Amino acid sequence: MSLLGVDLGTSGVRVVAISAAGVEIAGAARATTLHRPAPGIVETDADEVLAAATALLADVAARDAVAADPPEAISFSVQGEAVLPVDAEGKALAPAPVSMDRRGAGLADQVAAELGAGEVQRITGQPPHPMFSVYKIPGWTGPDVRGYRCLGDYVAARLGARPALDTSMAARTGGFDVDRGVWSTELLAATGVPVALLPEVVPPGTMIGKLSAEAAGATGLPAGLPLVVGSHDQASSFLGGGGRFGSAAVFSFGSSDCLTVGSPVRPGGLVGTGLASYPMGEGRWLTLAGTAAGGWALDWFATLAGLAGPTERDALFEAASPEPPQVLVLPYFAGSGTLDNDPRARGAVVGLTLETTREQLARAFLESSAFELRKIADALTARGVTIGAVHAVGGGARSHRTLAIRASAAGLALTPVPGHAAARGAALQAGAGIGRYSSLAELPAPACLPVAHPDPGTAQWYAAQSRRFRDLYPTLIPHDRSFSDPKEIR
């Protein structure tokens, strides 16, 4: 019997079917549209996401390999922070703002001032930041609004489940008390979000319903197929990428880059940083750190270079210069990296000369996320968090050459895991939800490709360059603060 994972990503939806041994047997994907109707506003259409998920489930269900190995359950990997209001029938009343949407900035600042930024992080495990759902919700009021949903519980409910979030997705709303395991009365009171309109919170791997007859007709799957609660996409990537609590971390190269580290307890010493933690069941915590514009920064550069298609983009970075350039990229195109947690930070490229080539710039963009990874790894280690081996997943892990450049810049060996880690992790979670696996800590390991090791010949250069990288952001703070955009949503 097989298992289905649905990845509800920022840029698209993917569905995979895996065997009980954790091997992908079929998969399909579809891009979705991000809408930017005004400066600072970035939204996705929840019904477009639902339609894509339904069509892809039908596509995968019709594959011969899946027909020969019928699915037992479905679960979801969910982009964090996107949220929307629904009516009495659970249908969307507005588009869902995604993580980079800025409409919650003013309220996030207000709540941080009222409760104290440290107290917000102590309660929720997440630093105060406009990306989180609770700071966006207050814009939707009125008698038609009967609930608020994240994308995972929205799609699952439309397929037949009861509205429910797991602890990882509840934490990514920014309104959940991660130690007590309940919605935070303090945060909800400060933001004005009614707890009665929020979904139920359940442990990861909980079965929350069965596929309805209507959804079965649309997907070609059997009615009554178990639906298991979804998890935050970084949690799903950790599970699908071979992350292990206390011994192996996962670095996900996606629209945003993120390092996810597992530990048996909530790490201390994170208050006052941009590091975020949430529980994944008893004795299991995940700590997240990354850059908001990882792949998006690469896309920006590729588009500026006149390369529109993914094949051309991949070729651009594959042709990156063989030697490290004397150029630094600060990849804060959507605010700073996790440690600094500064939504007003801006990207920068420094060290340009008339001799700088496109190939050198391509390498500098690749190096930038690796410098951020190095900075994060050092900060976690200093706080007693064991990182262990680092598995690399996502589009940035497909090329051994570009991964080796990043391994050298980060000073860390990176083990590539092929396939679609987030969707695979969702499918594995479906298996845990129906008892196919004993727990989320005991999942089949993925296949791994040869490790990309740091080049010892560039170690001294990259040690110095990483120090320059760390100095660059604080140096540019006065410059970034000097901008005043009257159109920016605050």
Side-chain angles (χ1 to χ4, degrees):
M1 302 293 277
S2 62
L3 300 161
L4 294 173
V6 182
D7 178 22
L8 306 172
T10 307
S11 304
V13 177
R14 179 174 296 277
V15 172
V16 303
I18 65 170
S19 68
V23 178
E24 183 177 329
I25 59 174
R30 177 183 293 187
T32 53
T33 306
L34 284 177
H35 302 276
R36 301 173 184 268
I41 300 295
V42 190
E43 302 171 328
T44 190
D45 183 333
D47 285 328
E48 181 189 3
V49 173
L50 172 64
T54 302
L56 292 169
L57 282 167
D59 182 341
V60 171
R63 305 288 181 88
D64 291 343
V66 178
D69 192 3
E72 288 186 291
I74 304 173
S75 189
F76 308 86
S77 164
V78 191
Q79 59 167 292
E81 300 88 55
V83 67
L84 67 148
V86 297
D87 63 16
E89 296 181 347
K91 294 183 177 179
L93 291 171
V98 299
S99 60
M100 71 181 82
D101 186 282
R102 292 274 302 161
R103 72 188 68 191
L107 183 56
D109 288 345
Q110 177 185 319
V111 171
E114 178 183 331
L115 299 181
E119 182 67 3
V120 171
Q121 190 169 13
R122 185 195 66 77
I123 294 170
T124 68
Q126 326 303 306
H129 194 284
M131 77 170 75
F132 295 116
S133 314
V134 292
Y135 305 116
K136 303 167 186 172
I137 285 174
W140 299 307
T141 58
D144 291 339
V145 177
R146 304 297 290 274
Y148 302 110
R149 303 284 181 266
C150 295
L151 284 180
D153 49 304
Y154 179 75
V155 171
R158 295 295 300 275
L159 294 178
R162 69 184 191 272
L165 296 174
D166 86 320
T167 51
S168 69
M169 282 303 300
R172 295 308 284 182
T173 67
F176 186 67
D177 188 321
V178 292
D179 283 330
R180 296 174 58 219
V182 296
W183 291 114
S184 168
T185 55
E186 298 94 332
L187 264 295
L188 298 187
T191 55
V193 176
V195 67
L197 299 187
L198 294 174
E200 173 189 7
V201 180
V202 300
T206 298
M207 194 173 86
I208 54 173
K210 297 182 178 181
L211 197 69
S212 68
E214 180 182 0
T219 61
L221 293 164
L225 193 68
L227 297 169
V228 175
V229 70
S231 63
H232 184 218
D233 53 8
Q234 302 303 342
S236 295
S237 291
F238 180 85
L239 299 174
R244 293 292 181 264
F245 294 89
S247 61
V250 171
F251 192 74
S252 177
F253 293 99
S255 300
S256 301
D257 291 339
C258 186
L259 177 69
T260 305
V261 180
S263 59
V265 296
R266 180 181 179 181
L270 305 190
V271 171
T273 74
L275 296 163
S277 285
Y278 51 62
M280 284 293 291
E282 186 175 353
R284 294 189 295 273
W285 284 77
L286 293 180
T287 298
L288 317 179
T291 307
W296 275 316
L298 301 187
D299 288 341
W300 175 87
F301 173 62
T303 301
L304 204 66
L307 306 175
T311 301
E312 290 179 312
R313 185 196 113 148
D314 288 348
L316 169 67
F317 293 106
E318 194 68 28
S321 63
E323 299 297 328
Q326 293 184 355
V327 177
L328 269 178
V329 171
L330 195 66
Y332 297 167
F333 288 70
S336 76
T338 294
L339 289 180
D340 304 306
N341 190 36
D342 181 1
R344 292 183 289 175
R346 296 183 177 226
V349 182
V350 300
L352 297 172
T353 72
L354 292 175
E355 287 75 40
T356 302
T357 67
R358 189 170 79 166
E359 291 75 20
Q360 289 173 328
L361 281 172
R363 181 161 182 140
F365 269 86
L366 290 172
E367 292 169 346
S368 65
S369 63
F371 288 137
E372 193 71 26
L373 170 58
R374 187 175 191 142
K375 179 178 171 182
I376 290 163
D378 288 347
L380 288 170
T381 300
R383 289 165 173 81
V385 179
T386 300
I387 296 173
V390 180
H391 290 189
V393 303
R398 289 196 300 262
S399 163
H400 186 82
R401 180 169 189 271
T402 60
L403 191 65
I405 290 172
R406 285 163 150 159
S408 294
L412 291 168
L414 300 175
T415 302
V417 177
H420 309 288
R424 180 178 184 270
L428 290 171
Q429 183 167 261
I434 60 171
R436 174 57 65 105
Y437 312 118
S438 59
S439 77
L440 294 179
E442 301 294 335
L443 300 175
C448 296
L449 296 177
V451 178
H453 292 282
D455 177 3
T458 61
Q460 186 174 352
W461 165 259
Y462 277 127
Q465 193 76 330
S466 69
R467 289 192 292 271
R468 297 185 189 101
F469 177 86
R470 296 178 196 213
D471 291 341
L472 186 56
Y473 163 69
T475 299
L476 291 178
I477 287 177
H479 173 271
D480 294 346
R481 296 292 190 274
S482 71
F483 286 98
S484 177
D485 185 353
K487 296 179 181 178
E488 185 176 6
I489 305 299
R490 292 195 56 77

